[in-house]
Structures are given as C-alpha cells and as structure tokens.
Amino acid sequence: MKLILKEYNLKLKHTFTISRESIDFQPSLIVELQSDGLSGFGEATSNPYYKTTVPMMMEDLEKIRNIIEGTENETPEVFWSKIHPYLKEDMFALCALDLAYNDLYARKKGKKLYELWNYTTERNPMTDYTIGIASIEKMVSKMQELPWPIYKIKLGTKEDIAIVKELRKHTNAVFRIDANCGWGVEETINNAIELKKLGVEFLEQPMKADNWEAHREVFKHSVLPIIADESCIIEEDVAKCFNHFHGVNVKLVKCGGLTPGKRMIEEAKKLGLRTMVGCMTESTVGISAIAHLLPQLDYVDMDGALLLAEDIATGVTIKDGVVSYSNLNGTGVTLL
C-alpha cells in the first residue's frame, strides 16, 4: 500500500466567523492510499482551537509511513487499532488516514461504504447550511444567496436574539443555533425560551466544554434540546454527555475517523442520546465520508464543501439539503 499526502488551502466563498475566530482560507490535508490499482481518499482540516496544523499532521504520518505502507487487507477496525497508539496525540491525522483506509477497503470489496455496513438510506436526514457571524445585513444576504430548508446559525454575540429575530423575517426555514461555547447558564436557559418561539430546533454547545455542572443545570431547565460538540471529542466522552446533553455531535476529525465515529454513534443510541455528525469545513473528500453515516443520524451538518469558493474533489452532491451519493464505490470520491 502506498501513502500519498497532499496539502491544500481551501478558499472560502465568504469570511467565516464563529464566536472565537474568523477565517478566509481553510488549510486541509488529503491522504491518498493506493493498492491493487485503487485509491482511497481521506481528509482532515487544520484547527487552531485544537492546536492542529497540516504540517504537524503530515509530520506525524511520515513518522509511521513504513507501518502504514506495510499494511494490506486488514479490516478498518484492525487497522485503526494498530495505528491509534502512534497517532493518539494527533486524532486529525488519524482521521484522514482512517477515512482513506475505509474508502480503499470498500472499493476493494466493490461496495459503497454504507452498503458494506448494511445501512439503508431511505430515511437519511437533510443537512443544514451554516450562516457564520457577520452583520445582520450580511447574514440575511447569505441566506438569500442560498435558500435552504435548515440553517445553522453561529451566535455568541451581544445581539444574539435580535439577530435571530431579524433572520426569521426572511425565511420559514428551520433554525439551529451554535454558540460555540459563547454563553453562560442563565443566558442559555433564557435564550432558549426566546429562540424556541423563533422556530429554533436545538442549541449546540452553548457553554464551555469542561463546565459539566453548567451543562447539567441547562440540561434540566432548557426548553430546547442541547447538543454537545466541544464537550464530545473522543469515544469516552459520549458516556459523560449522558444526563448533561440531549444529544452529541460527532466530528470525525476530532475522534479519529469513521471507525471510532461509528462506535460513538452506536454508544449514543444505546444511551438514548440524539445523534449528529458535523463537519470542519472539509472539501467534498471529507463530506463524502460523513454521508455514509447518514442512516444512523438524527441530524447532520455537512455543508463544508458548500462554503468553499472552489472544491478539490467530486463525490456526494447536495441540493436543497438532500444528499445524493456518487455512483462510485467506497466514499465515492475523485480528486479534481
């Protein structure tokens, strides 16, 4: 098996702002694994909050190139367990590698990933489209630029309720709110009351990740469901979220790929938690991997490639929130 690493700097259509940062470009690592005349592709983007850069990921993968390239035809679960000890401090790199390996493995089997997993796709949820923090006029114009059935709205400002009230005047779409750890307990409980009146479906990670007492308090009193994101990074975090959140948002780059992501979703279901997968502004490479988990999800946020000025791959396509799979096997990705 041959390992190929490619670095990209993905240009965004618009400056993307959340409560803690703004970006115009998203650095990204593409991992390609070649074997038996086939290629599998994976992706992980950089993220300052998690102190991860593309050069760091490439360096960590280069250190174990011989181990990776010495692997053939093991199951993705065995491969992940073999590689995890070497990359446990760099889950983003592990994710890109795991996605590529799952893709290649399914292609060798002549199946799409969801077929290999025996998932049926008839009830797949629609994806939301994210509106980053900006002036109200700019946020409205972004909605008008791409009419969509579900919007995920980034908040964490002093004018959050006013923003949502104004946005509601321009669409009947479902709203989801992501405050990216920007609120406190009383603020979250009070905002939930107002936001529910404005057609908001749930709140994602309103408070700081490690404030478990605060999460428990909000869990007991919020009139809207609360979904964990920054509080649910790796597999062990799912159980912690029980009785502190109503659901979990699994990010493949944070947990180390599809292999542990599937296990986290299964664990969440057993605990009665709602299941969601989110993206980290990946191209269609990473987004296409997420798509194969759709049959197991209540919600999905896989709009990363839609936020790009120019994509680097083909794979799944998304129209009006509905995801359509590629005709190709594996994740269905082809690099442009």
Side-chain angles (χ1 to χ4, degrees):
M1 188 164 68
K2 185 179 180 184
L3 170 69
I4 300 167
L5 305 178
K6 299 177 181 178
E7 186 174 2
Y8 291 88
N9 202 21
L10 308 174
K11 188 179 189 308
L12 305 183
K13 286 178 185 171
H14 303 286
T15 298
F16 188 71
T17 300
I18 63 173
S19 62
R20 55 177 175 258
E21 65 171 336
S22 294
I23 59 170
D24 292 295
F25 290 87
Q26 176 61 68
S28 180
L29 171 67
I30 301 297
V31 170
E32 180 179 356
L33 294 175
Q34 293 180 345
S35 178
D36 297 342
L38 297 169
S39 286
F41 299 96
E43 180 176 20
T45 52
S46 68
N47 192 285
Y49 181 81
Y50 295 101
K51 300 179 175 60
T52 301
T53 67
V54 171
M56 186 179 90
M57 289 188 270
M58 294 176 79
E59 182 181 343
D60 288 341
L61 289 167
E62 286 292 355
K63 288 177 186 173
I64 56 169
R65 176 178 284 275
N66 291 341
I67 297 168
I68 295 166
E69 293 189 335
T71 302
E72 286 289 344
N73 301 321
E74 291 174 348
T75 66
E77 292 76 18
V78 169
F79 180 67
W80 192 91
S81 296
K82 175 181 175 180
I83 298 296
H84 175 253
Y86 301 99
L87 292 177
K88 61 186 177 183
E89 302 303 323
D90 189 350
M91 294 301 238
F92 283 55
L94 181 55
C95 169
L97 183 63
D98 177 77
L99 266 55
Y101 194 85
N102 270 278
D103 184 18
L104 178 62
Y105 186 81
R107 291 184 198 230
K108 284 185 175 185
K109 298 290 185 183
K111 292 186 176 182
K112 295 178 173 62
L113 259 182
Y114 73 78
E115 294 172 336
L116 193 66
W117 297 335
N118 294 315
Y119 292 169
T120 57
T121 59
E122 289 84 4
R123 296 186 179 179
N124 282 1
M126 290 193 295
T127 181
D128 55 40
Y129 180 76
T130 304
I131 306 295
I133 295 171
S135 68
I136 289 179
E137 294 75 20
K138 185 67 174 173
M139 293 174 83
V140 169
S141 74
K142 286 181 183 179
M143 288 198 321
Q144 292 172 337
E145 179 184 292
L146 192 64
W148 211 254
I150 311 168
Y151 289 110
K152 178 173 173 176
I153 302 163
K154 295 286 189 177
L155 295 179
T157 76
K158 299 297 183 188
E159 305 295 328
D160 286 342
I161 301 300
I163 288 171
V164 180
K165 281 183 177 178
E166 185 59 33
L167 296 183
R168 176 49 74 207
K169 295 175 185 177
H170 299 271
T171 179
N172 291 322
V174 172
F175 285 168
R176 297 168 177 172
I177 300 300
D178 186 358
N180 285 112
C181 311
W183 294 347
V185 173
E186 292 304 316
E187 191 177 8
T188 302
I189 292 169
N190 292 334
N191 283 352
I193 294 167
E194 295 305 311
L195 291 169
K196 186 175 183 180
K197 298 173 189 172
L198 293 166
V200 168
E201 186 176 26
F202 62 72
L203 306 179
E204 185 178 338
Q205 195 69 46
M207 296 174 299
K208 289 184 178 173
D210 58 356
N211 195 343
W212 291 96
E213 281 185 32
H215 298 314
R216 175 69 174 162
E217 190 68 14
V218 166
F219 172 79
K220 289 192 289 186
H221 297 290
S222 173
V223 297
L224 286 174
I226 311 292
I227 308 296
D229 180 358
E230 285 88 344
S231 295
C232 189
I233 297 174
I234 56 174
E235 293 182 64
E236 291 77 11
D237 294 333
V238 176
K240 293 182 193 173
C241 290
F242 180 66
N243 279 341
H244 290 81
F245 293 90
H246 301 90
V248 294
N249 182 0
V250 175
K251 299 280 184 69
L252 301 184
V253 291
K254 296 193 294 189
C255 72
L258 284 164
T259 301
K262 279 177 62 195
R263 294 195 291 254
M264 289 174 75
I265 293 164
E266 288 164 7
E267 174 72 6
K269 283 177 171 291
K270 287 177 187 173
L271 293 170
L273 293 165
R274 301 181 197 187
T275 56
M276 179 177 179
V277 166
C279 63
M280 304 282 272
T281 325
E282 296 98 326
S283 74
T284 287
V285 176
I287 298 303
S288 293
I290 291 172
H292 292 265
L293 295 170
L294 284 174
Q296 299 297 298
L297 305 180
D298 297 304
Y299 318 114
V300 70
D301 171 37
M302 50 183 290
D303 64 345
L306 299 173
L307 302 174
L308 302 181
E310 192 172 330
D311 207 342
I312 59 170
T314 58
V316 299
T317 55
I318 303 172
K319 185 176 181 181
D320 297 328
V322 177
V323 180
S324 299
Y325 293 94
S326 162
N327 292 325
L328 300 177
N329 291 324
T331 61
V333 165
T334 303
L335 282 188
L336 294 172

PDB file of all heavy atoms in Angstrom, residues 174-190:
ATOM      1  N   VAL A 174     -36.104  25.917   9.128  1.00  0.00           N
ATOM      2  CA  VAL A 174     -35.751  25.510  10.491  1.00  0.00           C
ATOM      3  C   VAL A 174     -34.420  26.167  10.856  1.00  0.00           C
ATOM      4  O   VAL A 174     -33.506  26.235  10.028  1.00  0.00           O
ATOM      5  CB  VAL A 174     -35.630  23.975  10.568  1.00  0.00           C
ATOM      6  CG1 VAL A 174     -35.065  23.538  11.921  1.00  0.00           C
ATOM      7  CG2 VAL A 174     -36.974  23.322  10.304  1.00  0.00           C
ATOM      8  N   PHE A 175     -34.304  26.646  12.084  1.00  0.00           N
ATOM      9  CA  PHE A 175     -33.050  27.221  12.574  1.00  0.00           C
ATOM     10  C   PHE A 175     -32.433  26.281  13.613  1.00  0.00           C
ATOM     11  O   PHE A 175     -33.134  25.728  14.466  1.00  0.00           O
ATOM     12  CB  PHE A 175     -33.274  28.581  13.241  1.00  0.00           C
ATOM     13  CG  PHE A 175     -33.530  29.726  12.292  1.00  0.00           C
ATOM     14  CD1 PHE A 175     -33.986  30.942  12.786  1.00  0.00           C
ATOM     15  CD2 PHE A 175     -33.319  29.608  10.926  1.00  0.00           C
ATOM     16  CE1 PHE A 175     -34.222  32.022  11.939  1.00  0.00           C
ATOM     17  CE2 PHE A 175     -33.557  30.671  10.057  1.00  0.00           C
ATOM     18  CZ  PHE A 175     -34.013  31.892  10.573  1.00  0.00           C
ATOM     19  N   ARG A 176     -31.126  26.145  13.549  1.00  0.00           N
ATOM     20  CA  ARG A 176     -30.341  25.515  14.603  1.00  0.00           C
ATOM     21  C   ARG A 176     -29.315  26.550  15.051  1.00  0.00           C
ATOM     22  O   ARG A 176     -28.793  27.283  14.225  1.00  0.00           O
ATOM     23  CB  ARG A 176     -29.631  24.254  14.083  1.00  0.00           C
ATOM     24  CG  ARG A 176     -30.597  23.177  13.636  1.00  0.00           C
ATOM     25  CD  ARG A 176     -29.916  22.064  12.868  1.00  0.00           C
ATOM     26  NE  ARG A 176     -30.880  21.014  12.515  1.00  0.00           N
ATOM     27  CZ  ARG A 176     -30.603  19.990  11.713  1.00  0.00           C
ATOM     28  NH1 ARG A 176     -29.395  19.877  11.165  1.00  0.00           N
ATOM     29  NH2 ARG A 176     -31.535  19.086  11.452  1.00  0.00           N
ATOM     30  N   ILE A 177     -29.017  26.572  16.334  1.00  0.00           N
ATOM     31  CA  ILE A 177     -28.124  27.598  16.875  1.00  0.00           C
ATOM     32  C   ILE A 177     -26.866  26.957  17.434  1.00  0.00           C
ATOM     33  O   ILE A 177     -26.939  25.994  18.200  1.00  0.00           O
ATOM     34  CB  ILE A 177     -28.821  28.408  17.989  1.00  0.00           C
ATOM     35  CG1 ILE A 177     -30.079  29.102  17.466  1.00  0.00           C
ATOM     36  CG2 ILE A 177     -27.846  29.403  18.614  1.00  0.00           C
ATOM     37  CD1 ILE A 177     -29.858  30.074  16.333  1.00  0.00           C
ATOM     38  N   ASP A 178     -25.710  27.486  17.049  1.00  0.00           N
ATOM     39  CA  ASP A 178     -24.428  27.033  17.579  1.00  0.00           C
ATOM     40  C   ASP A 178     -23.697  28.228  18.177  1.00  0.00           C
ATOM     41  O   ASP A 178     -23.246  29.113  17.451  1.00  0.00           O
ATOM     42  CB  ASP A 178     -23.595  26.397  16.463  1.00  0.00           C
ATOM     43  CG  ASP A 178     -22.302  25.775  16.985  1.00  0.00           C
ATOM     44  OD1 ASP A 178     -22.040  25.873  18.194  1.00  0.00           O
ATOM     45  OD2 ASP A 178     -21.563  25.185  16.172  1.00  0.00           O
ATOM     46  N   ALA A 179     -23.596  28.244  19.504  1.00  0.00           N
ATOM     47  CA  ALA A 179     -22.950  29.376  20.185  1.00  0.00           C
ATOM     48  C   ALA A 179     -21.458  29.153  20.419  1.00  0.00           C
ATOM     49  O   ALA A 179     -20.776  30.046  20.929  1.00  0.00           O
ATOM     50  CB  ALA A 179     -23.640  29.646  21.519  1.00  0.00           C
ATOM     51  N   ASN A 180     -20.954  27.959  20.060  1.00  0.00           N
ATOM     52  CA  ASN A 180     -19.518  27.674  20.197  1.00  0.00           C
ATOM     53  C   ASN A 180     -18.948  28.128  21.548  1.00  0.00           C
ATOM     54  O   ASN A 180     -17.967  28.867  21.610  1.00  0.00           O
ATOM     55  CB  ASN A 180     -18.723  28.308  19.053  1.00  0.00           C
ATOM     56  CG  ASN A 180     -18.880  27.555  17.740  1.00  0.00           C
ATOM     57  OD1 ASN A 180     -19.480  28.061  16.802  1.00  0.00           O
ATOM     58  ND2 ASN A 180     -18.354  26.347  17.670  1.00  0.00           N
ATOM     59  N   CYS A 181     -19.595  27.669  22.617  1.00  0.00           N
ATOM     60  CA  CYS A 181     -19.122  27.907  23.993  1.00  0.00           C
ATOM     61  C   CYS A 181     -19.235  29.369  24.429  1.00  0.00           C
ATOM     62  O   CYS A 181     -18.591  29.776  25.403  1.00  0.00           O
ATOM     63  CB  CYS A 181     -17.662  27.450  24.166  1.00  0.00           C
ATOM     64  SG  CYS A 181     -17.289  25.802  23.547  1.00  0.00           S
ATOM     65  N   GLY A 182     -20.057  30.160  23.733  1.00  0.00           N
ATOM     66  CA  GLY A 182     -20.082  31.598  23.974  1.00  0.00           C
ATOM     67  C   GLY A 182     -21.049  32.102  25.034  1.00  0.00           C
ATOM     68  O   GLY A 182     -21.058  33.298  25.331  1.00  0.00           O
ATOM     69  N   TRP A 183     -21.874  31.216  25.638  1.00  0.00           N
ATOM     70  CA  TRP A 183     -22.890  31.662  26.594  1.00  0.00           C
ATOM     71  C   TRP A 183     -22.612  31.133  28.004  1.00  0.00           C
ATOM     72  O   TRP A 183     -21.789  30.247  28.201  1.00  0.00           O
ATOM     73  CB  TRP A 183     -24.275  31.180  26.160  1.00  0.00           C
ATOM     74  CG  TRP A 183     -24.797  31.779  24.881  1.00  0.00           C
ATOM     75  CD1 TRP A 183     -24.295  32.857  24.213  1.00  0.00           C
ATOM     76  CD2 TRP A 183     -25.916  31.315  24.115  1.00  0.00           C
ATOM     77  NE1 TRP A 183     -25.043  33.095  23.072  1.00  0.00           N
ATOM     78  CE2 TRP A 183     -26.046  32.171  22.996  1.00  0.00           C
ATOM     79  CE3 TRP A 183     -26.833  30.275  24.263  1.00  0.00           C
ATOM     80  CZ2 TRP A 183     -27.050  31.999  22.032  1.00  0.00           C
ATOM     81  CZ3 TRP A 183     -27.830  30.100  23.314  1.00  0.00           C
ATOM     82  CH2 TRP A 183     -27.941  30.967  22.211  1.00  0.00           C
ATOM     83  N   GLY A 184     -23.397  31.669  28.968  1.00  0.00           N
ATOM     84  CA  GLY A 184     -23.394  31.163  30.337  1.00  0.00           C
ATOM     85  C   GLY A 184     -24.697  30.429  30.624  1.00  0.00           C
ATOM     86  O   GLY A 184     -25.561  30.299  29.745  1.00  0.00           O
ATOM     87  N   VAL A 185     -24.872  29.972  31.857  1.00  0.00           N
ATOM     88  CA  VAL A 185     -26.037  29.155  32.218  1.00  0.00           C
ATOM     89  C   VAL A 185     -27.349  29.925  32.055  1.00  0.00           C
ATOM     90  O   VAL A 185     -28.256  29.491  31.326  1.00  0.00           O
ATOM     91  CB  VAL A 185     -25.907  28.627  33.667  1.00  0.00           C
ATOM     92  CG1 VAL A 185     -27.195  27.913  34.092  1.00  0.00           C
ATOM     93  CG2 VAL A 185     -24.739  27.663  33.778  1.00  0.00           C
ATOM     94  N   GLU A 186     -27.484  31.050  32.767  1.00  0.00           N
ATOM     95  CA  GLU A 186     -28.738  31.814  32.705  1.00  0.00           C
ATOM     96  C   GLU A 186     -29.010  32.310  31.291  1.00  0.00           C
ATOM     97  O   GLU A 186     -30.154  32.300  30.827  1.00  0.00           O
ATOM     98  CB  GLU A 186     -28.680  33.003  33.683  1.00  0.00           C
ATOM     99  CG  GLU A 186     -28.679  32.599  35.147  1.00  0.00           C
ATOM    100  CD  GLU A 186     -29.876  31.727  35.515  1.00  0.00           C
ATOM    101  OE1 GLU A 186     -31.003  32.056  35.088  1.00  0.00           O
ATOM    102  OE2 GLU A 186     -29.685  30.708  36.207  1.00  0.00           O
ATOM    103  N   GLU A 187     -27.947  32.728  30.618  1.00  0.00           N
ATOM    104  CA  GLU A 187     -28.078  33.202  29.242  1.00  0.00           C
ATOM    105  C   GLU A 187     -28.638  32.102  28.338  1.00  0.00           C
ATOM    106  O   GLU A 187     -29.535  32.327  27.529  1.00  0.00           O
ATOM    107  CB  GLU A 187     -26.697  33.650  28.742  1.00  0.00           C
ATOM    108  CG  GLU A 187     -26.698  34.400  27.426  1.00  0.00           C
ATOM    109  CD  GLU A 187     -25.303  34.865  27.053  1.00  0.00           C
ATOM    110  OE1 GLU A 187     -24.320  34.484  27.729  1.00  0.00           O
ATOM    111  OE2 GLU A 187     -25.200  35.626  26.078  1.00  0.00           O
ATOM    112  N   THR A 188     -28.128  30.897  28.507  1.00  0.00           N
ATOM    113  CA  THR A 188     -28.593  29.768  27.689  1.00  0.00           C
ATOM    114  C   THR A 188     -30.052  29.441  27.977  1.00  0.00           C
ATOM    115  O   THR A 188     -30.861  29.269  27.051  1.00  0.00           O
ATOM    116  CB  THR A 188     -27.725  28.522  27.942  1.00  0.00           C
ATOM    117  OG1 THR A 188     -26.358  28.830  27.641  1.00  0.00           O
ATOM    118  CG2 THR A 188     -28.165  27.361  27.074  1.00  0.00           C
ATOM    119  N   ILE A 189     -30.400  29.344  29.253  1.00  0.00           N
ATOM    120  CA  ILE A 189     -31.777  28.999  29.636  1.00  0.00           C
ATOM    121  C   ILE A 189     -32.756  30.062  29.143  1.00  0.00           C
ATOM    122  O   ILE A 189     -33.812  29.745  28.577  1.00  0.00           O
ATOM    123  CB  ILE A 189     -31.873  28.820  31.167  1.00  0.00           C
ATOM    124  CG1 ILE A 189     -31.085  27.572  31.596  1.00  0.00           C
ATOM    125  CG2 ILE A 189     -33.333  28.695  31.603  1.00  0.00           C
ATOM    126  CD1 ILE A 189     -30.892  27.438  33.096  1.00  0.00           C
ATOM    127  N   ASN A 190     -32.402  31.334  29.326  1.00  0.00           N
ATOM    128  CA  ASN A 190     -33.280  32.426  28.881  1.00  0.00           C
ATOM    129  C   ASN A 190     -33.346  32.537  27.367  1.00  0.00           C
ATOM    130  O   ASN A 190     -34.414  32.742  26.784  1.00  0.00           O
ATOM    131  CB  ASN A 190     -32.804  33.751  29.484  1.00  0.00           C
ATOM    132  CG  ASN A 190     -32.988  33.802  30.994  1.00  0.00           C
ATOM    133  OD1 ASN A 190     -33.861  33.130  31.541  1.00  0.00           O
ATOM    134  ND2 ASN A 190     -32.165  34.576  31.677  1.00  0.00           N
TER     135      ASN A 190
END
